[in-house]
Amino acid sequence: MRRGLDSLRAAVAAVICDHRALAVAGPGPVVLWSEATVSHGTGGSPPPDDSAYAASSEDDEADRTRLIALVDLARGGDKDAFGLLYDHYQASVYRFLFYRTRSTQLAEDLTSETFFRALRSMSGFRWQGKDFGAWLMTIARNLCTDHFKAGRTRLEQTTEDMSAHDDATEGPESAVLASLTNELLMQALTELPDEQRDCLIMRFLQGLSIAETAAVLGRSDGAVKQLQLRGVRNLAKLMPEGVRDA
């Protein structure tokens, strides 16, 4: 999280200082991570043989093989296998929801609902050459969007566990960076359009690649780059005058 916030601070400072290149680069390794989808079976028919399309974005081959096997067991009704998938993916789902809501309780509730819905739909999951984790993240994102659209709560303004830090930074953006606190960034994130906010959370705070983010948002790689650029620029515009004039 600290590295991601530092990267976002640097990108916003770069825009403020008119260094546009940082705004489109973004952190994180380039790892294939695409959106998986759910298709519900009908009439009790056996699922098609889609093993040739099974995929995982894990770097280690053994981990990829293990996770693919767990998904196959879980969609066949193995609750222990689903529990192991929960252990593996819970932290990343929770982090996304916490960044999105900035509320520990709400993030925990939505994380639980994400996995409940996934468990309920496992029998209809189909491999399409894409990663299982993206499917979970898409469920989480949809739940979060639906929650706020329904107006059941207002976006939390707390900055739980988001303490500002004062790392020394060299270069022309140092004065701006010094005044860009994490609290300012997290507050400004809540004022961005949904897609821009989600894009920046996934790219900077979670360190997802362009391809991974595009999969969850259902956009092309190019569209994600544009979303990221617009989001960082808009964050810069949302900074107080004292920061922009630093």
Side-chain angles (χ1 to χ4, degrees):
M1 180 176 72
R2 183 185 176 101
R3 179 192 290 183
L5 283 168
D6 283 345
S7 297
L8 186 54
R9 288 169 65 228
V12 173
V15 171
I16 291 174
C17 296
D18 204 26
H19 294 297
R20 299 173 59 182
L22 278 176
V24 295
V30 177
V31 180
L32 180 61
W33 193 83
S34 337
E35 180 180 1
T37 58
V38 170
S39 57
H40 296 280
T42 57
S45 301
D49 181 8
D50 56 358
S51 58
Y53 303 101
S56 169
S57 64
E58 295 297 315
D59 293 327
D60 183 77
E61 184 177 356
D63 288 340
R64 290 197 298 270
T65 301
R66 172 177 172 272
L67 287 170
I68 288 171
L70 287 175
V71 171
D72 285 336
L73 287 171
R75 67 176 182 165
D78 189 323
K79 298 301 189 293
D80 291 335
F82 187 84
L84 292 173
L85 289 171
Y86 173 89
D87 291 342
H88 183 83
Y89 289 106
Q90 184 271 342
S92 60
V93 171
Y94 171 81
R95 280 196 302 272
F96 170 76
L97 289 167
F98 178 67
Y99 290 138
R100 186 72 157 75
T101 66
R102 300 178 64 200
S103 165
T104 297
Q105 185 60 56
L106 182 53
E108 289 175 351
D109 291 345
L110 292 177
T111 298
S112 295
E113 179 65 16
T114 295
F115 283 94
F116 173 75
R117 292 198 180 187
L119 176 61
R120 190 172 58 189
S121 301
M122 278 306 298
S123 63
F125 177 82
R126 298 291 179 264
W127 289 116
Q128 296 183 340
K130 303 170 184 179
D131 188 89
F132 175 75
W135 180 60
L136 292 174
M137 202 67 69
T138 301
I139 294 173
R141 181 172 181 261
N142 290 340
L143 279 171
C144 193
T145 299
D146 290 345
H147 178 85
F148 289 117
K149 277 184 178 178
R152 290 192 293 268
T153 186
R154 296 183 64 184
L155 191 62
E156 295 288 338
Q157 298 303 316
T158 179
T159 54
E160 302 169 85
D161 305 324
M162 298 281 183
S163 59
H165 44 272
D166 54 357
D167 296 346
T169 304
E170 301 295 334
E173 295 92 17
S174 57
V176 176
L177 283 170
S179 58
L180 270 175
T181 66
N182 293 342
E183 183 176 2
L184 277 175
L185 285 176
M186 296 307 293
Q187 175 59 37
L189 274 172
T190 68
E191 301 177 36
L192 291 178
D194 286 351
E195 273 200 324
Q196 290 180 25
R197 177 174 61 244
D198 290 349
C199 178
L200 294 188
I201 288 173
M202 285 184 273
R203 289 286 291 133
F204 288 94
L205 303 186
Q206 290 193 284
L208 300 187
S209 69
I210 291 288
E212 293 170 340
T213 305
V216 176
L217 296 178
R219 296 291 204 111
S220 67
D221 289 2
V224 167
K225 292 177 183 177
Q226 290 301 312
L227 275 174
Q228 180 176 314
L229 177 59
R230 287 197 298 271
V232 173
R233 284 175 171 171
N234 286 334
L235 272 186
K237 293 176 184 177
L238 289 168
M239 293 299 105
E241 287 188 11
V243 173
R244 288 186 276 119
D245 297 337

